[in-house]
Amino acid sequence: MRKFPLSKVCQLIEPGPVVLLATLGKSGPNIMTMSWHMMVDFEPPLIACIVSQGDYSFATLRDTGDCVIAIPARKLAAKVAKVGNTSGRDMDKFASFGLTPLPASRVSAPLVAECFANLECRVTDTTPVETYNLFILKVLAAWIDPKQKNPKTIHHHGYGKFVVDGPAIKLKSKMR
Amino acid sequence: MRKFPLSKVCQLIEPGPVVLLATLGKSGPNIMTMSWHMMVDFEPPLIACIVSQGDYSFATLRDTGDCVIAIPARKLAAKVAKVGNTSGRDMDKFASFGLTPLPASRVSAPLVAECFANLECRVTDTTPVETYNLFILKVLAAWIDPKQKNPKTIHHHGYGKFVVDGPAIKLKSKMR
């Protein structure tokens, strides 16, 4: 893993990839699949995400106040779907699906070794949690796996349909 | 335009497409490009989005309390970038870029005829606006253009790089 500039985190989240949310629960590291997230501010990078009260990760995220957002590439798609179909209440998902937790630098939650990007996040505002299950996260550190070149992310269209990144196009744009 | 079920709006927003945000200002319809948005709830569909105070659309969205989220396909990419590079303060972007405003059924903001999907939205909560420029929108009606088959959306990676939808894959998933 190589450190990645916080100023560029928006380029990872803004395209809307399916991500994994890793937390450290009382019985060990846990992981869930998530698609409801967005950038809120550039720098320091703020991210909003929805974690349902029904999700096993909800209480851990609220209680520990931190998490890792890990971004998987196409080759992990089958595991990502399995992570989304199961609950950490019933199993150790890292062990069951062959994912490797790595220690993070700033948070209790683990990085996910197989993902091409990992964002260490702290919950900075829980005000919208009660109404919307909406957490505001501040990215404290970001990591990228330099061995994964041009990773293709996947995008959830519902009921098991995912669309993989296709061709890139370049247009004149002032938007960072 | 054909009416689209509200229960499936998540399938349009969750994959993270670049969208257009249309509003009706004092001097006519306006439009901006937006990538910071996410689903908040399934049904009624709630969407969160960030509209910067610096954007010309900010005051209109806050004052009228409604907007249309229009989703463009690949063929509109060049226009989408132009919309993002300019401000409604200086020009009529619909006229300048050859986009067609159509009357909506429930809101003052216009639909965008050239987009394959249009979501009529009302602002339902402005509490997080002061801190984060974050608006909570409720989708009141959704429309789809049945003539645009399998539209490919575009995803913003920053500084003019956009990635177009590639191949779809099917995985066993319980997630709607």
Side-chain angles (χ1 to χ4, degrees), chain A residues 1 4 12 20 68-73 112 114-119 142-145 148 151:
Chain A
M1 294 282 173
F4 187 73
L12 299 170
L20 298 171
V68 165
I69 293 179
I71 311 180
V112 182
E114 290 78 10
C115 287
F116 75 86
N118 280 274
L119 312 177
W143 304 91
I144 204 110
D145 178 359
Q148 297 194 45

Side-chain angles (χ1 to χ4, degrees), chain A residues 37-70:
Chain A
H37 54 72
M38 66 173 178
M39 289 304 297
V40 169
D41 208 348
F42 285 110
E43 206 174 351
L46 295 182
I47 295 173
C49 68
I50 307 289
V51 177
S52 166
Q53 283 183 49
D55 289 325
Y56 185 58
S57 301
F58 178 88
T60 307
L61 179 59
R62 193 192 48 198
D63 296 347
T64 63
D66 74 46
C67 64
V68 165
I69 293 179

Side-chain angles (χ1 to χ4, degrees), chain B residues 149-160:
Chain B
K149 309 279 185 208
N150 301 314
K152 304 266 186 201
T153 61
I154 57 177
H155 304 262
H156 188 232
H157 285 241
Y159 296 108

Side-chain angles (χ1 to χ4, degrees), chain A residues 42-157:
Chain A
F42 285 110
E43 206 174 351
L46 295 182
I47 295 173
C49 68
I50 307 289
V51 177
S52 166
Q53 283 183 49
D55 289 325
Y56 185 58
S57 301
F58 178 88
T60 307
L61 179 59
R62 193 192 48 198
D63 296 347
T64 63
D66 74 46
C67 64
V68 165
I69 293 179
I71 311 180
R74 163 71 181 91
K75 63 177 179 179
L76 289 178
K79 290 187 181 191
V80 168
K82 284 175 188 165
V83 167
N85 288 337
T86 50
S87 171
R89 274 184 202 90
D90 314 316
M91 65 198 302
D92 175 348
K93 294 205 255 184
F94 271 96
S96 299
F97 302 128
L99 295 168
T100 313
L102 295 177
S105 68
R106 304 279 303 274
V107 299
S108 69
L111 310 181
V112 182
E114 290 78 10
C115 287
F116 75 86
N118 280 274
L119 312 177
E120 301 185 27
C121 301
R122 179 149 295 147
V123 177
T124 58
D125 190 351
T126 55
T127 315
V129 171
E130 199 164 324
T131 316
Y132 300 112
N133 295 330
L134 188 159
F135 291 82
I136 302 285
L137 310 174
K138 182 178 178 177
V139 183
L140 303 180
W143 304 91
I144 204 110
D145 178 359
K147 292 193 298 297
Q148 297 194 45
K149 308 280 184 206
N150 300 313
K152 305 265 187 201
T153 61
I154 57 176
H155 303 263
H156 187 232
H157 286 241

Side-chain angles (χ1 to χ4, degrees), chain B residues 21-25 30 49 51 57-69 104-111 119-124 126 135-138 140:
Chain B
L21 185 83
T23 47
L24 182 62
N30 187 36
C49 68
V51 178
S57 302
F58 178 89
T60 308
L61 179 60
R62 192 192 49 198
D63 296 347
T64 63
D66 73 44
C67 64
V68 165
I69 292 179
S105 67
R106 305 280 303 276
V107 299
S108 68
L111 310 180
L119 312 178
E120 301 185 25
C121 301
R122 179 149 295 146
V123 177
T124 59
T126 55
F135 291 83
I136 301 286
L137 309 174
K138 182 179 179 178
L140 303 179

